[in-house]
Amino acid sequence: MSKQANVNFQQSIDQGDRLVPVNLRQTGDPGIQMLISNRVRKSPYWHLSVEAGCWKATVYNRMYHPRAYVRPEDGGAMEEYRALVNDVTLWNVAVERPIRVKGPDAEAFCNYVCTRDVTRVPPMMGRYVVLCNEQGHVLNDPVMLRVAADEFWFTISDSDLAYWFKGINHGLRYDVSIDEIDVSPLQVQGPKSEDLIADLVGEGVREVPYYGLMAATIEGAEVLISQTGFSGEKGYEVYAYDSTLHAETIWNTILDKGEKYGLKVIAPAHHRRIAAGILSYGQDLDHETNPFQCNLGHMVPKAKETDYIGRDALERTRELVSQGTPPFTHQLVGLKLGGRPIEDYAPDFWLVGPDAESEPCGWITSPWYSPELGTNIAMAYVPVASAAVGTVLVAWLPDEFLDIPGQPVDAVVCEMPFRASVNPSSRERAKAAGRDYAY
C-alpha cells in the first residue's frame, strides 16, 4: 500500500448522523508487526493455522485471526480465491465465538433481541439475523443456530454480544443461561465442499438444506455441521464440541480427507464475500449503522407480532425511508471501480467524490478485484442523493492502483450482489417473492 500518509481528516464529508465519525485519515499500511502476547487469546486451531503457513493475522473478538496463508510471491490472496471458487478450502474461523442461550425461556429471549421472528425457526435450523439497540443501530449480525427447542447458538461477528445479552437479561429475568461455550467453528467452502463433508460424516449431509444442521462425529469427536458460510459458494461450517481437546483431530482429519479434492487452507474469503454482497461487521457496518442504511432493511420484518429491541426506531426509519427523508446521510452501495487490480486488504477507508475537482463525499469500506467481472468492485457509503444505480462518481485510490498517478478512477454505483451466490441470500429470496422484508 502507499506509504504516503495524508493525515488530514476529511471534514468535508457529512457524518452528522454519527456520534463518533468514521476515521477517514489516509495513513496507509506502515508495515508495523503485530505483537503476539498472552493478553489476546489463541484459538484451539491457532497453532494449526501457523503450521499451515499463516503469515498475516488480525485481532477479532479478542483472539488472533488468520488472514493470509499464500505468500504474495506465490500468488497471494488471489491464489486463495482460485482454490475457493474451483475446489475446496478450509478456514479457521474459531474467532466467531458461539454464544449459547439455553433454558425454558430461550425462544422468548432470542425473539426479543432479534429483529427476525425466531419462533419461525424450527430446531436444527439456523438464520442470519441482526440484533439492534433501542436506537435501531446494529450491534451484531450473527448466524443464529437453533440447536434444540430450548437452545440457541449465536456465531457472532466482532463485538461483545454476550455482555449485551447478560445486561438485557439482568432486568428482564428470562429463565436462561447465557455463556460462551467451548465450541470452535471451521468453515469448509467451495464447489467440492459437499463431497468432502460427505466423506467426513456420511451421505446424509447431502440432504441438509441451506441453513440446516446435522449432528455428527469426526473420528469420535462430536461436531455440529451447518450448511452456512461467508463466501457465496457452496459451503459448510463444522462446529467442534470440546474444541480445546479435539482441535487436532478435527483439523487433521479434514486435511487428510480433503487431499483428494485439492483442499487448501485459506483465510476467510473477503474477496468472494464482497462479490456476494455479504457484509463484514466493523468494516461495512457498526453499532451506529441502521439496517436500512446498509442493505439490511429486509431484516426488519413487517409480519412479526411480538415486540423486540429497536422495533419502534426501526419502524420510524422504515416510514422515513419510504417518504424519501431517511434519518441518515449516507447509504451503502455497490461500486464498480477503474484502476489496477486490488488484490489485498485495504488499510484505509478510501475516499469517494462526485468528480476529480470536488471534495470527497463518501468512503469505500470493502474493495477487491473480481476476475469474473474483470474490474475492481467495492462496497461504499455515498450520500443518499448519490445512491441510485448508475450514478457516476470517482474514487481516490493509492497510487499503486491508479492508471494515472494522482488522478482518481471512475466509480459507478451498481446492484449488489456483484455475482450470484450458490444459495441466494434472504434479501434475494424476499425480493424474488415480491417482498421487501424477510420473516
Side-chain angles (χ1 to χ4, degrees):
M1 299 295 168
S2 173
K3 299 299 188 292
Q4 291 297 114
N6 172 16
V7 296
N8 293 321
F9 185 69
Q10 291 294 331
Q11 298 184 41
S12 65
I13 296 177
D14 180 9
Q15 296 193 55
D17 56 342
R18 295 183 61 96
L19 291 173
V20 180
V22 177
N23 187 351
L24 300 178
R25 295 174 177 87
Q26 304 295 291
T27 58
D29 177 2
I32 294 172
Q33 183 175 351
M34 173 180 283
L35 171 67
I36 304 296
S37 74
N38 58 10
R39 70 174 300 277
V40 176
R41 288 193 294 170
K42 296 175 180 177
S43 81
Y45 307 124
W46 171 253
H47 63 294
L48 298 166
S49 285
V50 173
E51 290 175 9
C54 173
W55 64 274
K56 182 188 292 185
T58 186
V59 174
Y60 190 104
N61 279 326
R62 298 186 180 87
M63 301 182 80
Y64 293 113
H65 184 26
R67 292 296 286 268
Y69 291 85
V70 180
R71 294 276 180 172
E73 60 268 24
D74 297 319
M78 295 311 293
E79 181 60 31
E80 296 186 11
Y81 180 87
R82 283 186 280 275
L84 169 67
V85 299
N86 293 313
D87 296 309
V88 62
T89 57
L90 174 63
W91 311 359
N92 174 359
V93 291
V95 296
E96 297 174 350
R97 306 307 303 154
I99 305 302
R100 180 181 64 190
V101 178
K102 182 175 174 60
D105 294 339
E107 181 183 81
F109 177 85
C110 294
N111 207 34
Y112 182 62
V113 298
C114 294
T115 61
R116 297 183 72 176
D117 190 349
V118 166
T119 68
R120 299 173 66 96
V121 183
M124 297 302 282
M125 286 294 295
R127 291 287 189 276
Y128 173 61
V129 298
V130 298
L131 302 100
C132 295
N133 61 16
E134 296 90 337
Q135 290 76 41
H137 296 153
V138 181
L139 298 180
N140 209 280
D141 64 329
V143 170
M144 183 199 74
L145 307 179
R146 187 168 193 171
V147 179
D150 65 346
E151 182 174 352
F152 295 77
W153 295 359
F154 291 83
T155 307
I156 65 172
S157 50
D158 191 9
S159 69
D160 293 318
L161 191 65
Y163 296 151
W164 171 252
F165 280 179
K166 289 174 183 287
I168 292 297
N169 203 41
H170 179 73
L172 297 179
R173 305 293 183 185
Y174 284 95
D175 188 2
V176 294
S177 61
I178 301 167
D179 302 285
E180 179 186 324
I181 53 178
D182 185 18
V183 171
S184 296
L186 296 168
Q187 290 200 24
V188 177
Q189 300 286 313
K192 298 178 183 176
S193 60
E194 183 177 308
D195 290 338
L196 171 53
I197 296 294
D199 266 3
L200 284 164
V201 301
E203 292 295 310
V205 78
R206 299 188 191 275
E207 304 303 317
V208 173
Y210 189 41
Y211 275 92
L213 310 180
M214 174 182 168
T217 60
I218 295 177
E219 294 297 314
E222 284 190 79
V223 297
L224 186 70
I225 307 291
S226 65
Q227 197 200 144
T228 52
F230 190 63
S231 72
E233 298 292 328
K234 182 68 175 286
Y236 298 83
E237 291 182 270
V238 180
Y239 293 83
Y241 290 83
D242 298 318
S243 57
T244 303
L245 297 175
H246 299 303
E248 289 87 355
T249 297
I250 303 298
W251 179 278
N252 291 328
T253 302
I254 293 174
L255 285 185
D256 291 344
K257 293 283 189 182
E259 188 173 350
K260 68 179 180 182
Y261 299 105
L263 177 72
K264 184 182 290 292
V265 180
I266 72 167
H270 281 259
H271 27 47
R272 183 63 181 94
R273 69 92 184 165
I274 294 168
I278 299 172
L279 308 186
S280 177
Y281 195 85
Q283 188 168 345
D284 305 307
L285 72 164
D286 65 12
H287 68 284
E288 290 201 50
T289 310
N290 188 290
F292 290 95
Q293 186 179 8
C294 62
N295 224 17
L296 292 179
H298 69 285
M299 301 296 280
V300 182
K302 292 181 177 178
K304 184 173 178 177
E305 296 180 357
T306 55
D307 193 21
Y308 58 86
I309 298 174
R311 180 171 190 158
D312 290 345
L314 290 169
E315 290 297 339
R316 284 198 300 272
T317 301
R318 189 201 306 276
E319 183 177 353
L320 290 170
V321 169
S322 68
Q323 294 172 356
T325 56
F328 42 80
T329 62
H330 286 71
Q331 181 83 43
L332 187 72
V333 299
L335 292 178
K336 291 184 179 179
L337 305 173
R340 298 172 183 169
I342 301 165
E343 296 183 342
D344 207 343
Y345 302 97
D348 293 310
F349 294 101
W350 297 332
L351 303 177
V352 175
D355 54 62
E357 286 72 41
S358 300
E359 289 290 315
C361 63
W363 61 93
I364 290 170
T365 61
S366 295
W368 216 290
Y369 177 73
S370 170
E372 293 81 6
L373 299 177
T375 189
N376 291 319
I377 59 176
M379 299 185 197
Y381 280 97
V382 303
V384 172
S386 300
V389 171
T391 301
V392 178
L393 303 165
V394 297
W396 284 272
L397 307 181
D399 284 349
E400 65 190 279
F401 303 120
L402 296 178
D403 297 317
I404 303 174
Q407 292 295 311
V409 299
D410 289 339
V412 180
V413 176
C414 61
E415 290 275 6
M416 287 194 288
F418 299 93
R419 284 187 59 209
S421 298
V422 172
N423 293 304
S425 70
S426 56
R427 182 175 66 85
E428 293 170 274
R429 293 197 304 274
K431 184 177 180 180
R435 291 182 275 108
D436 62 357
Y437 60 93
Y439 291 107

